[in-house]
């Protein structure tokens, strides 16, 4: 079976990721495509720029549609692989090959499919499918996908959804814009988040909070605080989420006055009992060098949990008050609270600063023994730090080698750091080798190693690392706005209802491959059968057994020229007498014609004709191998001889069957 020769379907598209501007997106996209592939002819049809189905109005007005359709014709004798080719083509149009899309009645329900994928935890597949179909989906579907991206922190995927909206010309409503804003703010892309924020007609508290939190998380605390004041001026009352961000910002900036003011607002709003807010407040006071106030907030808090306790313990740790750290930790335990991983990290860090090796070991072991918490790589690294700081490098090395997380770079990084104080160069080299193997592309690691070499005055090594870093700096990450758009689109498949050989509502190849379809008497009934809305969503229409449709020409010309559809037609070019079937009428309006060949049943050579083995003379006679056989020219011409041979074979077979019976 020959495959069809179609223009390339895959293109890398650069989508402006900041500003939604359909006209811009089109021009930049086509420009980019031209640069990537000089032979590429920009096809406006691929990028839907209008959110409404303009095809409806233009069609009804009788005007030419802006999208450009295509007609591809697959012809040949019976058994040549026409249906197989059509089927493969349709499948590749409707999915990217990795996903078995739900195709019912020959029509892919994209919204339903995407939601189902999302609900079954296959978010990435859903996004791939969304991008590959290049199709518009409804707000609800976009919302579900975006929400899942935010929840799973799949920010890059979220951006792909946004890019897809831009491509198909979907204008997000206020609700979706806020979702996008949250996504961008959380991912750290505050510029885009701000553009979206400015687009909001009425920014609500959620959008203000998302922006403030985004700035604070990104380390732009001042901007976050400024936005908080703007929000207050606009008349909004902050909630627990606002306060958490504000206290965090004040803690980092150590701006006690602003923190205290916000604390005053908090008291007025009576959200004082919130655990997360109180923890942030305690942290703020400690970081602003007011341990007394931090302690006061802690004592006054009516409700406490492990986070509140850990904030207090961590606060003491920040001030180097190792004794208080351990006291608070013990008090926490005695009051019946269970420490978590973070609490232990703070305690181990305090032990490191206090040079408390034995205590460190005790706390480290008690994690598993008393609390069933498996120490993570950071706890192991903290232990390495404790050992390293106290000069027990060999012990630290053995500990690293036997650690279950020995394949995590952080633990080797800790060993390099430890070596800086008391270490020997041999150990640095071993640790560095491992370190690079595990995380070669992290710039931070090179810096750590470079510093370690510098400690030992190994300037050659320092220079080598720096030049490596330079090269690394030149290597750019692929931009997230670059997406692969393989042209997978919504498809509908039609066949003639006359052909019920292998199934009523599916096209079936001679070797059993199937695909659901619309069995129609006349193509003119298609639009009405699937409904106008669904018709507009369909981008690719496959037609099998096209020779049986009398209105093939009219349908194809309208679908391609006016409605911008890609029509793929498969059918017999000639009948058993080699007279043309109606399929040939569409050759003048086709973009491509592929003539497939079968294998001659007599000699095995390429076959381009269909021989009818029986004596029936009507033109249309639906049947399979019992009546027809593909033949080469020679065996078509000597058809009568062939027919006789065929009859003889059939007779011999029935005789054999009879004698067996
Ligand atoms: N003589 C033959 N030549 C080629 N394929 C044949 C022949 N006889 C049976 N087949 C089978 O038919 C398949 C093609 O089926 P199909 O795509 O339905 O053809 P058509 O285009 O005629 O509908 C081939 O893959 C092969 O398995
Ligand atoms: C040659 C010839 C064929 N037909 C019918 C027979 C089959 O039902 C279809 C062709 O099926 P295929 O899967 O595309 O091979 O057409 C006919 O009615 N008249 C003919 O002359």
């Amino acid at each position: 079976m020959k495959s069809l020769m179609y223009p390339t379907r895959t293109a890398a598209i650069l989508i402006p990721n900041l500003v939604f501007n359909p006209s811009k997106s089109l021009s930049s996209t086509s420009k980019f495509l031209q640069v990537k592939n000089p032979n590429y002819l920009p096809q406006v049809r691929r990028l839907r720029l209008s959110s409404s189905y303009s095809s409806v109005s233009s069609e009804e007005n009788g005007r030419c549609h802006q999208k450009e359709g295509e007609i591809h014709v697959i012809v040949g004798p019976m058994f040549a692989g026409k249906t197989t080719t059509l089927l493969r083509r349709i499948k590749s149009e409707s999915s990217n090959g990795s996903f078995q899309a739900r195709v019912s009645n020959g029509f892919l329900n994209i919204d339903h499919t995407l939601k189902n994928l999302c609900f079954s935890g296959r978010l990435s597949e859903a996004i791939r499918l969304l991008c590959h179909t290049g199709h518009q989906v409804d707000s609800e579907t976009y919302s579900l996908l975006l929400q899942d991206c935010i929840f799973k922190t799949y920010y890059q995927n979220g951006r792909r959804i946004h890019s897809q909206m831009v491509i198909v010309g979907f204008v997000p409503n206020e609700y979706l814009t806020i979702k996008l804003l949250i996504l961008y703010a959380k991912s750290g892309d505050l510029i885009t988040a701000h553009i979206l924020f400015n687009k909001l007609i009425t920014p609500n508290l959620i959008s203000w909070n998302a922006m403030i939190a985004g700035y604070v998380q990104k380390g732009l605390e001042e901007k976050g605080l400024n936005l908080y004041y703007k929000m207050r001026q606009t008349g909004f009352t902050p909630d627990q989420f606002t306060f958490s961000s504000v206290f965090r910002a004040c803690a980092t900036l150590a701006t006690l006055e602003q923190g205290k003011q916000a604390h005053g607002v908090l008291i007025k709003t009576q959200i004082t009992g919130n655990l997360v807010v109180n923890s942030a407040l305690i942290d703020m006071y400690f970081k602003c060098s007011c341990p007394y106030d931090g302690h006061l907030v802690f004592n006054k808090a009516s409700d406490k949990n492990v986070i509140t306790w850990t904030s207090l313990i961590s606060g003491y740790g920040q001030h180097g008050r190792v004794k208080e750290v351990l006291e608070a930790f013990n008090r926490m335990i005695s009051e019946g609270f269970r420490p978590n991983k973070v609490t232990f990290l703070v305690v181990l860090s305090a032990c490191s600063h206090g040079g408390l090796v034995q205590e460190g070991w005790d706390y480290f072991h008690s994690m598993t023994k008393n609390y069933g918490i498996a120490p993570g790589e950071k706890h192991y690294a903290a232990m390495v730090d404790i050992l390293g700081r106290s000069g027990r490098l060999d012990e630290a090395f053995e500990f690293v080698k036997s650690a279950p997380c020995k394949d995590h770079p952080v633990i080797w990084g800790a060993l390099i750091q430890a070596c800086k104080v008391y270490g020997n160069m041999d150990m640095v080299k071993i640790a560095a080798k491992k370190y690079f193997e595990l995380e070669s592309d992290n710039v931070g690691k090179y810096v750590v190693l470079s510093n370690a070499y510098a400690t030992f005055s190994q300037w050659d090594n320092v220079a080598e690392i720096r030049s490596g870093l330079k090269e690394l700096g030149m290597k750019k990450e692929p931009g997230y706005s670059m997406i692969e758009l393989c042209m997978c689109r919504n498809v509908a498949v039609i066949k003639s209802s006359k052909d019920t050989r292998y199934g009523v509502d599916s096209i079936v190849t001679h070797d059993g491959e199937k695909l659901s379809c619309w069995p129609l008497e006349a193509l003119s009934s298609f639009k009405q059968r699937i409904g106008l809305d669904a018709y507009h969503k369909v981008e690719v229409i496959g037609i099998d057994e096209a020779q049986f449709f009398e209105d093939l020409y009219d349908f194809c010309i309208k679908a391609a020229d006016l409605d911008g559809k890609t029509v793929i037609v498969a059918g017999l070019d000639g009948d058993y007498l080699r007279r043309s079937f109606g399929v040939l009428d569409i050759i003048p309006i086709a973009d491509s014609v592929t003539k497939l060949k079968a294998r001659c049943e007599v000699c095995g050579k390429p076959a381009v004709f269909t021989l009818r083995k029986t004596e029936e003379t009507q033109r249309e006679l639906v049947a399979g191998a019992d009546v027809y056989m593909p033949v080469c020219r020679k065996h078509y011409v000597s058809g009568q001889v062939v027919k006789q041979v065929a009859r003889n074979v059939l007779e011999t077979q029935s005789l054999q069957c009879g004698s067996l019976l």
Side-chain angles (χ1 to χ4, degrees):
M1 183 192 72
K2 266 196 226 163
S3 63
L4 290 174
M5 301 281 284
Y6 286 109
T8 177
R9 291 265 155 197
T10 311
I13 301 228
L14 183 69
I15 294 137
N17 53 8
L18 300 183
V19 190
F20 170 73
N21 183 339
S23 58
K24 262 193 188 164
S25 74
L26 174 66
S27 61
S28 53
T29 300
S30 14
K31 226 183 263 169
F32 179 72
L33 288 172
Q34 282 158 15
V35 173
K36 288 288 280 188
N37 177 1
N39 299 324
Y40 186 85
L41 290 171
Q43 297 183 40
V44 180
R45 159 186 82 68
R46 300 250 163 87
L47 304 173
R48 247 199 206 138
L49 299 179
S50 160
S51 58
S52 60
Y53 288 108
S54 49
S55 56
V56 183
S57 56
S58 57
E59 195 186 333
E60 251 110 72
N61 294 340
R63 275 188 275 115
C64 212
H65 193 266
Q66 62 168 358
K67 287 185 293 172
E68 222 183 282
E70 289 171 23
I71 299 174
H72 300 283
V73 187
I74 308 157
V75 289
M78 286 181 70
F79 306 98
K82 303 184 298 296
T83 307
T84 310
T85 307
L86 176 70
L87 205 137
R88 300 251 159 95
R89 176 92 169 106
I90 292 296
K91 278 187 178 170
S92 89
E93 289 282 357
S94 65
S95 84
N96 62 4
S98 68
F99 170 65
Q100 296 299 304
R102 201 182 84 109
V103 181
S104 110
N105 284 335
F107 178 67
L108 177 77
N109 184 335
I110 189 85
D111 282 296
H112 182 96
T113 307
L114 292 176
K115 279 180 192 162
N116 273 352
L117 279 173
C118 214
F119 289 137
S120 54
R122 294 161 73 186
L123 176 65
S124 299
E125 265 176 85
I127 292 163
R128 261 203 313 275
L129 184 68
L130 172 81
C131 295
H132 290 176
T133 53
H135 198 79
Q136 209 170 85
V137 297
D138 61 35
S139 305
E140 213 183 281
T141 309
Y142 279 130
S143 167
L144 188 73
L145 293 175
L146 282 173
Q147 188 51 48
D148 222 14
C149 287
I150 294 168
F151 181 70
K152 292 183 171 156
T153 66
Y154 288 1
Y155 300 131
Q156 193 142 333
N157 274 332
R159 289 185 184 125
R160 290 186 71 193
I161 298 172
H162 190 197
S163 303
Q164 199 53 33
M165 288 179 178
V166 176
I167 291 175
V168 298
F170 178 88
V171 184
N173 57 23
E174 191 90 341
Y175 178 74
L176 275 179
T177 309
I178 293 175
K179 279 239 179 309
L180 284 168
L181 181 159
I182 295 170
L183 178 112
Y184 280 103
K186 278 186 179 274
S187 75
D189 183 350
L190 275 314
I191 299 173
T192 310
H194 218 117
I195 290 169
L196 292 164
F197 184 75
N198 289 340
K199 271 172 174 276
L200 292 173
I201 303 159
T202 44
N204 59 10
L205 188 59
I206 298 172
S207 46
W208 280 102
N209 280 346
M211 289 307 300
I212 297 169
Y215 279 120
V216 175
Q217 270 159 26
K218 188 87 195 265
L220 300 166
E221 289 83 5
E222 280 177 34
K223 285 200 171 183
L225 285 178
N226 284 341
L227 212 60
Y228 162 71
Y229 294 123
K230 261 194 195 162
M231 179 194 117
R232 299 271 294 129
Q233 278 165 11
T234 326
F236 278 97
T237 306
D239 65 3
Q240 63 268 38
F241 299 105
T242 331
F243 284 120
S244 301
S245 300
V246 169
F247 293 139
R248 193 173 151 188
C250 295
T252 311
L253 296 172
T255 50
L256 184 61
E257 268 323 297
Q258 283 174 300
K260 276 187 170 174
Q261 274 173 18
H263 189 178
V265 181
L266 174 75
I267 293 165
K268 277 190 208 154
T269 53
Q270 297 176 332
I271 316 176
T272 43
N274 187 282
L275 285 166
V276 180
V277 176
N278 276 343
S279 304
L281 194 55
I282 294 165
D283 192 50
M284 188 270 290
Y285 277 120
F286 272 106
K287 287 201 172 126
C288 290
S289 301
C290 286
Y292 176 79
D293 289 317
H295 208 148
L296 209 65
V297 175
F298 176 83
N299 283 341
K300 281 197 162 183
S302 51
D303 207 5
K304 292 187 184 75
N305 71 357
V306 59
I307 303 172
T308 337
W309 274 101
T310 306
S311 298
L312 180 78
I313 296 167
S314 158
Y316 286 133
Q318 284 155 27
H319 286 264
R321 290 159 70 166
V322 177
K323 197 167 142 264
E324 278 94 338
V325 167
L326 302 185
E327 273 173 11
F329 180 78
N330 292 337
R331 228 173 74 218
M332 171 187 172
I333 307 288
S334 62
E335 288 189 24
F337 291 94
R338 266 180 80 85
N340 64 18
K341 285 188 171 199
V342 183
T343 327
F344 273 110
L345 207 54
V346 174
V347 170
L348 288 174
S349 166
C351 291
S352 178
H353 284 102
L356 307 172
V357 180
Q358 192 46 52
E359 287 82 347
W361 275 126
D362 291 345
Y363 286 119
F364 184 81
H365 291 310
S366 82
M367 284 180 76
T368 335
K369 210 170 84 191
N370 303 331
Y371 302 100
I373 302 171
E377 62 273 357
K378 284 188 183 158
H379 302 98
Y380 276 88
M383 261 329 287
V384 172
D385 198 46
I386 293 174
L387 294 170
R389 276 176 191 254
S390 62
R392 303 183 189 200
L393 269 186
D394 291 336
E395 202 179 331
F397 190 38
E398 288 309 313
F399 179 69
V400 169
K401 283 196 292 183
S402 62
C405 56
K406 62 174 181 292
D407 284 337
H408 200 288
V410 76
I411 190 167
W412 292 99
L415 189 62
I416 295 175
Q417 289 284 16
C419 289
K420 275 172 66 183
V421 189
Y422 298 102
N424 55 53
M425 202 51 218
D426 290 342
M427 200 179 284
V428 171
K429 280 181 182 163
I430 297 167
K433 189 170 175 283
K434 193 73 191 165
Y435 203 33
F436 272 68
E437 269 171 32
L438 295 169
E439 202 168 21
S440 56
D441 56 349
N442 185 333
V443 180
K445 306 294 170 194
Y446 290 85
V447 175
V448 172
L449 186 62
S450 166
N451 290 345
Y453 280 133
T455 313
F456 292 95
S457 305
Q458 302 266 323
W459 301 115
D460 288 352
N461 290 332
V462 173
E464 203 177 300
I465 291 172
R466 295 228 170 119
S467 75
L469 258 178
K470 223 174 170 184
E471 271 173 37
L472 200 78
M474 282 155 70
K475 217 172 83 181
K476 274 209 169 147
E477 285 271 306
Y480 59 77
S481 53
M482 183 95 86
I483 67 159
E484 285 264 292
L485 192 70
C486 125
M487 294 300 164
C488 302
R489 296 174 287 165
N490 268 1
V491 297
V493 188
I494 304 168
K495 77 162 187 186
S496 162
S497 57
K498 285 177 189 166
D499 190 344
T500 52
R501 280 174 301 170
Y502 306 114
V504 178
D505 57 0
S506 45
I507 59 166
V508 189
T509 67
H510 287 292
D511 46 359
E513 261 190 275
K514 265 189 178 188
L515 185 70
S516 328
C517 71
W518 297 86
L520 302 177
E521 248 175 69
L523 290 166
S524 56
S525 63
F526 177 60
K527 205 187 272 187
Q528 179 246 318
R529 280 287 298 279
I530 69 163
L532 203 62
D533 203 36
Y535 178 78
H536 289 306
K537 284 182 182 169
V538 168
E539 289 165 287
V540 182
I541 301 171
I543 305 172
D544 201 16
E545 303 299 343
Q547 70 277 3
F548 293 138
F549 288 115
E550 281 177 17
D551 55 353
L552 184 68
Y553 181 90
D554 290 348
F555 178 86
C556 289
I557 206 161
K558 192 168 179 305
D561 290 3
L562 298 180
D563 302 337
K565 313 285 182 202
T566 293
V567 190
I568 308 168
V569 179
L572 291 170
D573 47 342
D575 65 10
Y576 75 106
L577 293 175
R578 299 193 295 178
R579 291 172 310 196
S580 71
F581 258 130
V583 176
L584 294 187
D585 293 346
I586 62 165
I587 303 297
I589 55 166
D591 294 74
S592 80
V593 181
T594 307
K595 176 145 176 161
L596 299 176
K597 289 177 185 147
R599 187 183 294 271
C600 175
E601 293 258 28
V602 184
C603 65
K605 285 191 178 154
V608 280
F609 311 116
T610 314
L611 190 82
R612 190 178 278 174
K613 294 188 265 185
T614 58
E615 299 306 324
E616 282 97 339
T617 52
Q618 74 271 38
R619 190 168 203 218
E620 287 184 4
L621 174 64
V622 174
D626 48 337
V627 174
Y628 297 102
M629 62 196 276
V631 283
C632 65
R633 185 178 298 277
K634 182 177 150 198
H635 289 110
Y636 183 84
V637 174
S638 58
Q640 293 314 313
V641 182
V642 172
K643 271 186 179 181
Q644 195 49 55
V645 173
R647 268 185 230 117
N648 292 345
V649 172
L650 283 173
E651 271 167 29
T652 321
Q653 276 174 354
S654 62
L655 272 176
Q656 280 171 352
C657 287
S659 62
L660 278 173
L661 289 168

